[in-house]
Amino acid sequence: MMRIRSFSFIAMFVAGLGSAVAVCAAERVNIYSYRQPFLIEPVLDKFTEETGIETKVVYAKSGLNERLQREGRNSPADLVLTSDTRNLMDLLAKGLTQPVRSDVLEGNIPAQFRDENGNWFGLTTRARLIYASKERVKPGEITRYEDLADPKWKGRICIRSGKHPYNLSLFASMIAHHGEAETKKWLQGLKANLARKPQGNDRAQVKAIKEGVCDLSLGNSYYFGKMITNTEQPEQIEWAKSVNLVFPNQQDRGTHMFVSGAVLTKHAPNRENAVKLLEFLSGSEAQYLYAEKNFEFPVRPGTKRSELIEEYMGEFKEDSLSLTEIGALVPAASRLVDEVGFDF
């Protein structure tokens, strides 16, 4: 009987040891993602293939910051992937991040596209462009954001809400470069030149140009790629063909940029693996894959870019203003939008 019990104990011990080894072997990174599956799954699959570290992703269009805050130290999330600068800043402001110090990340990501304390990192960039009618705006007729307030454009500009994060970020950059007083005057001039009340999204403004409602609009660069390749809605291809892309301020500070990015969560249970994924996402191969799917620019200098971007956009000068500085000025930009009654 004693021998049988001993054998049972040994068998249980070995079985338990095997389970423990299996748990250790299943290394993982848990991700909350505002980015869509088609954008990140190819990159995550490549990461798992090269490292053996699995990824588990929760996708949502909104609410992940609030979910992370509610979960507190019990959250399973290691990383949050964002589609815009606003969520990066919000995660930092809510105290939901922890800093990462990595020579790899600091070497791959320019300083203006990451937090100086390592609390967030940009992974792709987009440019805030002026879309100009091919028929009614001559090449070189508008070259700067400041030109949008010129009375010559009265009744000729379409734009989405001034309160949208894309516009607030641009307006905040104007404050950084010109101060609040000058930016308020510029906003008043821009409002006076609108063809209609601010409405719709960036693509809706290009449609309005095609239809002759206006001649100019502001829009993010990647929307052009989405329109010009949209075989399911071919009318959008015609919208895109009706405009020229203007990268503003090429003779001075450069074009305003946004980022999609990532943060390491404050209570990340798989911190080491999460940092490995962050570093992988900043590498040249992942940068190309991550940016190419959504017609964005790789944040890592010298990385190959999509054929569409090379064909229609080429090289251009970027505004080197820190996104941290811009983020700090967004509340002031929002106040100015209210003061001039921009959306009314």
Side-chain angles (χ1 to χ4, degrees):
M1 179 68 72
M2 181 62 70
R3 287 181 180 176
I4 294 174
R5 287 178 179 174
S6 296
F7 178 79
S8 299
F9 174 80
I10 293 170
M12 291 173 62
F13 175 81
V14 171
L17 183 61
S19 299
V21 170
V23 169
C24 292
E27 294 191 77
R28 172 182 289 175
V29 180
N30 297 319
I31 302 164
Y32 286 177
S33 178
Y34 288 106
R35 309 234 68 185
Q36 299 175 64
F38 82 93
L39 295 174
I40 67 170
E41 285 180 353
V43 187
L44 297 180
D45 289 344
K46 190 69 176 175
F47 173 71
T48 299
E49 178 186 327
E50 292 191 9
T51 66
I53 300 170
E54 298 177 358
T55 60
K56 183 176 181 181
V57 189
V58 174
Y59 296 97
K61 290 184 178 180
S62 62
L64 292 175
N65 294 16
E66 291 74 20
R67 174 174 174 171
L68 187 66
Q69 190 171 34
R70 288 195 305 271
E71 292 170 339
R73 63 177 58 253
N74 296 317
S75 177
D78 298 301
L79 293 179
V80 180
L81 298 179
T82 77
S83 55
D84 55 41
T85 309
R86 173 187 57 175
N87 275 312
L88 292 174
M89 301 301 176
D90 183 60
L91 286 161
L92 178 59
K94 285 183 165 72
L96 300 175
T97 69
Q98 63 170 298
V100 176
R101 286 300 180 194
S102 162
D103 291 340
V104 173
L105 291 171
E106 292 175 14
N108 287 342
I109 302 174
Q112 69 265 33
F113 298 134
R114 53 181 165 83
D115 176 55
E116 62 182 2
N117 295 313
N119 283 288
W120 59 262
F121 297 89
L123 295 173
T124 64
T125 64
R126 303 95 169 259
R128 193 72 175 153
L129 305 183
I130 296 173
Y131 286 73
S133 169
K134 286 182 177 178
E135 292 184 359
R136 300 179 298 277
V137 181
K138 298 176 183 177
E141 194 173 358
I142 185 165
T143 61
R144 306 173 75 234
Y145 296 116
E146 289 81 355
D147 297 341
L148 293 168
D150 190 321
K152 71 178 287 184
W153 302 113
K154 187 172 179 63
R156 301 175 66 185
I157 300 175
C158 289
I159 195 170
R160 73 194 305 165
S161 170
K163 284 287 196 175
H164 191 277
Y166 295 159
N167 283 331
L168 285 178
S169 182
L170 172 61
F171 300 164
S173 78
M174 294 292 285
I175 293 174
H177 288 295
H178 298 297
E180 284 195 33
E182 285 300 311
T183 300
K184 184 174 182 178
K185 289 180 184 178
W186 176 76
L187 282 172
Q188 290 169 330
L190 174 56
K191 175 181 168 61
N193 288 340
L194 297 183
R196 63 184 185 184
K197 178 181 174 180
Q199 59 190 267
N201 56 25
D202 281 0
R203 279 189 260 196
Q205 316 314 316
V206 183
K207 178 187 179 192
I209 291 175
K210 169 64 176 174
E211 294 173 344
V213 175
C214 48
D215 299 337
L216 300 173
S217 72
L218 283 169
N220 281 359
S221 53
Y222 73 101
Y223 285 118
F224 180 83
K226 286 179 172 291
M227 290 185 290
I228 201 71
T229 60
N230 195 341
T231 54
E232 293 184 3
Q233 296 177 288
E235 67 275 13
Q236 292 197 15
I237 297 176
E238 297 308 309
W239 303 350
K241 287 181 177 179
S242 74
V243 297
N244 285 319
L245 304 178
V246 178
F247 286 81
N249 297 80
Q250 291 302 287
Q251 301 306 312
D252 45 82
R253 67 180 180 274
T255 298
H256 180 61
M257 306 298 291
F258 302 88
V259 295
S260 73
V263 305
L264 180 68
T265 64
K266 185 175 183 179
H267 303 292
N270 303 291
R271 187 184 195 280
E272 183 177 345
N273 290 339
V275 172
K276 287 180 182 178
L277 177 54
L278 271 177
E279 292 177 341
F280 178 83
L281 290 171
S282 75
S284 58
E285 182 180 14
Q287 280 280 289
Y288 172 74
L289 288 173
Y290 198 45
E292 184 265 345
K293 289 290 184 181
N294 204 40
F295 312 109
E296 298 174 329
F297 306 105
V299 73
R300 184 178 185 270
T303 303
K304 179 183 176 183
R305 304 190 302 177
S306 74
E307 292 181 3
L308 182 142
I309 284 179
E310 292 295 349
E311 179 180 357
Y312 290 101
M313 303 182 195
E315 298 294 331
F316 63 95
K317 183 179 180 180
E318 303 175 356
D319 191 343
S320 61
L321 194 66
S322 165
L323 293 183
T324 299
E325 182 177 354
I326 292 172
L329 292 170
V330 164
S334 181
R335 174 170 47 79
L336 292 183
V337 167
D338 290 334
E339 288 180 4
V340 305
F342 191 84
D343 284 348
F344 300 99

